[in-house]
Amino acid sequence: MNLISTLFHTLFSSDDSAYNALYRFFDKSSSIMLLLDPENGKILNANEAAAHYYGYTLEQLTHMSISTINTLPAELVREERQRALKEERNYFNFKHQLANGEVRDVEVFSTPINLKEKRVLFSIIHDITDRKNAERELLEVNENLAKQEILFKQILDTSSVAIFLVNMEGHITHANQRMAEMFLYPLEELINKEYVELIHTSEREIGRQKMLSLLGSKISSVDLERVYCRTDGSSFWGQLTGKRFYDAKGEEIGLVGVIADIDERKYIQQCEQHHKQILQMIANTSPLSTILHVMTGDIESIHHHRIGCSMLLFDETNHKLILGATSNELQLLSTTLIDASEGDKHFLAHLLHLPAQPVLFSTLDEESWWHEKTQDLHLKDRQHCFANPIVSAFGKPLGLLMICSLQEQPLTPREIKLVEDEVQFIALAIEKSKSDAKLQLAANVFTHAKEGIIITDPYGTIIEANEAFVRNSGYSLDEIIGHDPRIMKSGRQETVFYAQMWESILTLGHWQGEIWNRRKDGSIYAEMLTISAVKDSEGEIQNFVALFTDITIIKEHEKELEHLAHHDVLTSLPNRMLLWDRLSQAIAEAQRYNTYLAVLYIDLDGFKEINDTYGHSIGDELLIAVSKRIASLLRKNETVARLGGDEFVALLTDLKNPQECELILKRIIEAMSEVIVIHGIDLYISASIGISFYPDDSLNAEELILYADKAMYSAKELGKNCYFFFNQTKK
């Protein structure tokens, strides 16, 4: 079972909050995801990525069968679903047809999960059309390799990606010049080298197992991202595509692999994700210690543990140095500096007055006050360790960020740039934690935020807005600056809502909640809004800062989940939970107005035979048709619910006397006896109905359903296709 499947199995068996978090993950994921009914192939749910990929709306997708998309015959598609359901096989290659008629090659990972009480298939779809095309092109090159070896080598050596062959023992037999450049090896040294030696130690064993699976024909190909190591010890992210390699006679002789250097893209992506997370934690007022520990872990992870860091903070009075967070490798350095600052005020004073820029340890070693305290530290290379003061927007010393290379290699320009960014984020986190947010410093990270942000003056006039806000609101910067945020009011909230919001802001200094706003084009959307008052040292409000997060999709999905929680998936009738709520309300109404309430327990006669004869698909459509017939016979304020299988419960309310329900009972009996045509098949069933009354039979909701159930069995014993009152069983 793969990692994502394990995650889904875990979360779907968790509590409701985790269940909702899973659905948010499902909807927001950029991967194409579907939830399928394993029996009939119906698409139960799909995410936005699936709708975008297939070219259908979400509503269209969730009314379709997967057989509409899969180009295989429906029966073969069903057989593959059964294999996935039984976990005989969870990986498939299919051809899927898009809404525009285009057919694409896809790779499907499908695994059974429990969605509440229903067993469904969770599928992740990857488009591999380009890869398939590339593989076909590579195969053509392979077929001509013997005849055009010189030309082939020229093509390989001018390629922008590393291309190599691995024999059945896992050793590299051929490689192009780009691979030598990528790994900083002479080409001759790459030949006969074991391929897995190039993989980073943290992933080497996984890489070995993947290679053995390919060589052993357990899997046909791989397409993944992993970390590799160069000969100088540095590491990088590579995109690997690999598959089995055959000679001219069709005999397998090893593997062919292609590696694209994606390190820069992955590095930028990881840094952006890291900064977004830190900004969100700051906005959510997470504890400073938590933020700093997350930052330390991220810095280590992004650089494959090639870099260690330590964050030391000055206390409020600048009389003490305390530990914020540290890598294990710099624990001794952190302790040494803290102890030195406690025992030597002059040492602490020198740290407080360091210039606000990175300085090498080797440069500091020239100062006696530093050298005396740190000379016993066993650092791998002091030439590659930096001390970077952390200062506030107004130059106040806040702490120190220590960054050290753990592999005796200098920091690269992008790593030094990250250090400079981290210093600003740490400063922002420190000042926010002390309720002393500084707009000047916030401006330095303003453009990093994916959330919409506006800043107003003390009177509520917008003086600044970021690109995310401009993009989401539809207004240009010129149309926003100088105006009041009221231009975006949707009209959905009443005046009292805004009065309470501003009372909280002015009293507590902040407010957070959900709000509906209107874009320039008139569309209304939901946002999670956080407003904070920024005060000066004397407590006077200088600005207001508002962060907007679009939650429209989440709100819409919550509405869908609410419906799923209280309605039967197949028939859309109220389920047992909603029935219980409606029954309790009906009892309260009957008690208030001194009327009768009838509980009808309806069981279909002959349904099992039809289901066994024609299959579950016909059976399901029959249940849908039956539910519609029953519902059409009831009044608008009355309820029919499906308990499961072929059992239904109906509530007849506002009865003046028990006999008043007999007309509707006869109509239900008659309606159930009429032929139902499904796909040209004439189906005949009947219904056995048991009835209990409030208040004559019981005042208790549970007993009313129990007594109606008991009466239904009496109707069955009478020959079916009839109704029976519970009070008759007591005679």
Side-chain angles (χ1 to χ4, degrees), residues 125-143:
I125 296 94
H126 299 290
D127 188 312
I128 59 170
T129 306
D130 293 340
R131 193 183 76 197
K132 285 285 188 181
N133 293 336
E135 290 172 355
R136 285 190 286 269
E137 292 173 3
L138 187 59
L139 182 60
E140 293 176 2
V141 173
N142 183 44
E143 292 173 347

Side-chain angles (χ1 to χ4, degrees), residues 681-709:
I681 305 172
D682 292 346
L683 304 177
Y684 294 92
I685 58 170
S686 60
S688 297
I689 307 175
I691 308 98
S692 63
F693 291 101
Y694 171 91
D696 289 0
D697 294 327
S698 177
L699 305 178
N700 180 271
E702 185 175 357
E703 289 182 351
L704 284 171
I705 293 180
L706 179 64
Y707 293 161
D709 186 20

Side-chain angles (χ1 to χ4, degrees), residues 271-491:
C271 289
E272 286 180 349
Q273 291 174 346
H274 164 61
H275 289 152
K276 179 179 179 180
Q277 180 185 13
I278 299 304
L279 278 172
Q280 190 64 55
M281 293 178 72
I282 292 173
N284 292 339
T285 63
S286 299
L288 179 61
S289 60
T290 301
I291 295 174
L292 298 183
H293 278 92
V294 168
M295 293 180 75
T296 300
D298 283 355
I299 292 173
E300 292 177 342
S301 176
I302 290 172
H303 298 94
H304 317 302
H305 298 274
R306 195 181 77 84
I307 290 178
C309 66
S310 174
M311 302 172 189
L312 305 177
L313 311 180
F314 297 119
D315 69 355
E316 190 66 30
T317 59
N318 290 342
H319 288 160
K320 188 178 182 182
L321 195 63
I322 58 178
L323 179 64
T326 184
S327 302
N328 292 333
E329 293 83 355
L330 300 189
Q331 183 70 55
L332 179 59
L333 169 64
S334 303
T335 303
T336 299
L337 296 181
I338 290 172
D339 291 344
S341 65
E342 288 182 352
D344 189 338
K345 293 183 179 180
H346 295 292
F347 181 82
L348 180 62
H350 282 295
L351 293 180
L352 286 166
H353 290 90
L354 284 174
Q357 59 189 30
V359 55
L360 284 168
F361 277 22
S362 56
T363 301
L364 289 173
D365 283 340
E366 298 173 3
E367 304 289 339
S368 59
W369 62 270
W370 172 270
H371 182 71
E372 290 174 1
K373 303 295 184 181
T374 64
Q375 59 183 333
D376 294 332
L377 288 174
H378 299 290
L379 298 174
K380 287 189 176 182
D381 194 337
R382 302 169 79 93
Q383 285 284 352
H384 303 144
C385 291
F386 286 88
N388 201 130
I390 305 166
V391 298
S392 71
F394 301 104
K396 177 184 177 182
L398 300 175
L400 297 169
L401 171 62
M402 308 292 183
I403 295 287
C404 290
S405 170
L406 304 179
Q407 296 181 349
E408 300 183 15
Q409 295 176 341
L411 269 63
T412 64
R414 73 179 188 183
E415 291 167 348
I416 295 174
K417 175 63 169 61
L418 179 64
V419 171
E420 295 172 353
D421 290 343
E422 293 305 302
V423 167
Q424 295 187 34
F425 277 89
I426 296 170
L428 181 61
I430 294 172
E431 292 193 294
K432 185 69 167 60
S433 71
K434 298 176 180 179
S435 298
D436 189 22
K438 302 295 190 297
L439 290 177
Q440 182 178 350
L441 181 59
N444 293 332
V445 294
F446 199 56
T447 56
H448 291 282
K450 301 303 180 184
E451 300 82 5
I453 303 176
I454 62 172
I455 302 172
T456 75
D457 63 17
Y459 308 102
T461 301
I462 299 174
I463 61 175
E464 188 58 271
N466 69 347
E467 292 181 6
F469 181 84
V470 170
R471 182 172 56 253
N472 201 38
S473 68
Y475 289 96
S476 68
L477 200 59
D478 291 339
E479 292 172 319
I480 295 172
I481 302 300
H483 290 273
D484 192 286
R486 282 195 293 267
I487 62 174
M488 297 178 295
K489 285 179 63 174
S490 66

Side-chain angles (χ1 to χ4, degrees), residues 88 468 509:
E88 296 173 352

